[in-house]
Amino acid sequence: MRTSKNVYRAGVIAAAVAVSAASLSACGSSSKPGTSSGTKASGSTSFTYWSMWQQNEPQAKVIKKAADDFTAATGIKVNIQWQGRDVITKLTPTLRTGSSADLVDQSVNALGALVAKDETTDLSGLYGTTIPGESQTVGQVIPDSYKPFLNDKSGKPFIAPYEVSSEGLWFDASKFPDLAANPPKTWDDLLALFAKAKGMGLTPLAVPGDDKYWVLLTLQRELGTDGLKKLASDKTGAAWDDPNVLKAAKLVQDLRDKGDILKGYESSKSIDEEGDWAKGQAAFYLSGTWVPSEAAPNATAGFKFDSIQLPALDSGNTDTGINFFGFAVPKTAKHSDAAEKFVAFFMKKEELSGISTQALNLTPRADIDPPAQLASMSKALTGTVYADQGHLSVDYADWTNKMLNPEMIRLITGQDDAAKFVANGKQGTIDYWKSAS
């Protein structure tokens, strides 16, 4: 039986490769991927790809398979270097002399540093490229509701997303079986849920000391999805005087002061707290869609991953933040034509499905089912969405990294109280814009 399956699979792959090769050839003659920058070579036989993943990670295995399939179909060699999460930091110095990478991947937020310096290629041509073996273009399989968040300030796409992410409050559904269907509707409901967890003998929250989600998402619930941009862009700092900023900060401070967070979290890292939560030491963990795949090895027996969104505050905002991981082509890339051909190939349903089935993450294609662990998150993303972190990491990347992020860490770890957070945020913004002008 096993031999028969392998023979059958080999036949299917051979047929698929033949179709893909033919489709790529037809596609290449009509859609001309790689021409969006207008200055790149055509007919490249190889390209270099710097990836954010480590070789043993599920996403890397999906990408490696696609690269092998692509080479078999086209003859174009993919030189993959698994650079890890610091790929953009490593890439940036090489851009001065001509990047050694023709393709990179990371999140919208991380790529924002390149976008802000106009160092990424306009991917409009790629978006118009027909996916090999399919009838739709790359742009057509990406939902229209996502596209505003994939563009630079001039409205041109700089990223081709292969993974969709968001943040949610994660829990073990075996302990809270009705929670996903009946999530808290108000902050008081949320506090009542934490009290219930305490009654079950659980510390309500695991919070990494290097994590800003509680401050960030509470501010967005209180100020609305564009509120963070007002805090960033108001050079007078007056936006920080909005009483809702202090109110949101106090809500976070209260969680800390009430002892709702695992002891010793202040000096911890994300991987530590995620592991402690999965082992049942805390009831809830606010983080991204990557949690089920990352935390599974540490999860207790019978653990059922599920998530809810934070409830509305006074503003009534219940929108869901959305982020993307995907491909970008540096402007200095010498073989962008081959790189963009690979991206179009990877967007095939056959290849991209591995992100859901093997890496347990969401994809941008509506015709690929989400993994069961992310069904609640996927449903939330069908509602109104907003750019993760208010698109700050793209539109105000330097302010966010130098001013906002450190202040949010100081608040969640108790180095500052809510009033100090507001005062520092106001003065820090004034000082930032003075030095930036």
Side-chain angles (χ1 to χ4, degrees):
M1 180 63 76
R2 183 173 182 177
T3 301
S4 298
K5 282 186 176 179
N6 288 343
V7 170
Y8 170 75
R9 177 173 169 72
V12 170
I13 291 175
V17 165
V19 170
S20 299
S23 301
L24 276 169
S25 176
C27 164
S29 63
S30 60
S31 302
K32 296 179 180 179
T35 60
S36 48
S37 66
T39 58
K40 308 303 179 185
S42 60
S44 298
T45 56
S46 67
F47 72 95
T48 299
Y49 166 26
W50 284 18
S51 177
M52 64 174 284
W53 306 105
Q54 299 290 347
Q55 193 167 0
N56 61 347
E57 293 185 280
Q59 285 88 344
K61 294 176 182 176
V62 174
I63 289 169
K64 179 62 167 59
K65 174 190 176 298
D68 291 344
D69 291 347
F70 175 73
T71 299
T74 66
I76 298 173
K77 184 179 180 182
V78 185
N79 301 310
I80 306 178
Q81 296 183 25
W82 307 106
Q83 299 282 357
R85 303 298 187 269
D86 295 333
V87 61
I88 303 304
T89 301
K90 296 175 182 176
L91 177 74
T92 300
T94 74
L95 298 175
R96 301 191 190 103
T97 54
S99 170
S100 54
D102 301 300
L103 184 70
V104 296
D105 61 1
Q106 244 293 3
S107 69
V108 164
N109 295 338
L111 291 170
L114 300 183
V115 177
K117 296 176 182 177
D118 193 27
E119 290 175 334
T120 54
T121 296
D122 168 15
L123 297 181
S124 297
L126 171 64
Y127 272 49
T129 299
T130 303
I131 296 173
E134 300 185 5
S135 59
Q136 298 187 93
T137 66
V138 171
Q140 286 173 329
V141 301
I142 299 172
D144 289 341
S145 61
Y146 295 177
K147 290 175 182 172
F149 313 126
L150 308 173
N151 295 339
D152 60 21
K153 285 186 175 179
S154 63
K156 304 296 184 183
F158 65 87
I159 179 173
Y162 58 72
E163 188 171 298
V164 179
S165 69
S166 185
E167 288 88 33
L169 191 60
W170 294 94
F171 61 94
D172 179 358
S174 70
K175 295 177 180 174
F176 301 93
D178 301 324
L179 182 55
N182 300 284
K185 292 182 172 55
T186 67
W187 194 267
D188 285 343
D189 290 344
L190 184 68
L191 297 182
L193 177 63
F194 293 168
K196 178 181 179 181
K198 284 184 176 178
M200 297 166 64
L202 297 167
T203 299
L205 298 173
V207 178
D210 61 351
D211 188 292
K212 56 186 184 289
Y213 283 129
W214 272 103
V215 184
L216 186 73
L217 297 182
T218 306
L219 278 170
Q220 287 187 309
R221 280 289 187 255
E222 190 63 49
L223 303 177
T225 53
D226 290 330
L228 290 175
K229 284 189 176 180
K230 293 179 182 176
L231 297 183
S233 60
D234 185 350
K235 298 180 180 179
T236 71
W240 287 82
D241 293 330
D242 182 341
N244 288 325
V245 180
L246 178 61
K247 180 182 176 183
K250 282 185 173 177
L251 292 176
V252 175
Q253 180 186 331
D254 286 348
L255 294 176
R256 194 188 72 208
D257 292 347
K258 288 170 59 181
D260 282 350
I261 306 175
L262 280 176
K263 291 182 179 178
Y265 76 97
E266 294 89 345
S267 59
S268 67
K269 301 295 183 183
S270 298
I271 194 68
D272 304 321
E273 296 295 315
E274 183 181 276
D276 289 345
W277 165 74
K279 294 171 186 172
Q281 296 179 23
F284 300 98
Y285 181 58
L286 186 63
S287 192
T289 39
W290 49 86
V291 165
S293 60
E294 279 191 358
N298 293 314
T300 55
F303 198 107
K304 292 181 65 178
F305 291 92
D306 210 339
S307 67
I308 56 174
Q309 296 296 302
L310 290 186
L313 296 175
D314 291 347
S315 67
N317 171 32
T318 57
D319 299 348
T320 305
I322 189 168
N323 196 8
F324 304 90
F325 292 80
F327 300 108
V329 178
K331 270 193 171 177
T332 53
K334 299 179 179 63
H335 306 291
S336 61
D337 59 325
E340 292 189 19
K341 281 183 180 178
F342 170 70
V343 175
F345 185 89
F346 189 68
M347 293 300 287
K348 293 169 60 176
K349 183 179 179 181
E350 174 190 349
E351 301 291 350
L352 195 59
S353 292
I355 294 295
S356 174
T357 58
Q358 298 178 50
L360 302 182
N361 273 277
L362 302 174
T363 77
R365 291 189 61 143
D367 56 355
I368 296 177
D369 292 335
Q373 299 91 328
L374 297 180
S376 295
M377 188 73 79
S378 180
K379 183 179 179 181
L381 290 172
T382 61
T384 303
V385 296
Y386 64 89
D388 183 65
Q389 302 183 33
H391 222 229
L392 288 179
S393 295
V394 176
D395 297 337
Y396 299 96
D398 196 46
W399 175 86
T400 303
N401 292 328
K402 292 180 178 176
M403 211 298 294
L404 182 63
N405 286 345
E407 292 302 330
M408 291 194 293
I409 297 297
R410 292 180 66 82
L411 174 61
I412 192 65
T413 57
Q415 298 175 68
D416 291 335
D417 62 14
K420 184 71 171 173
F421 170 76
V422 174
N424 285 353
K426 179 176 182 177
Q427 189 59 50
T429 300
I430 294 171
D431 293 343
Y432 172 82
W433 285 113
K434 281 183 178 177
S435 63
S437 61

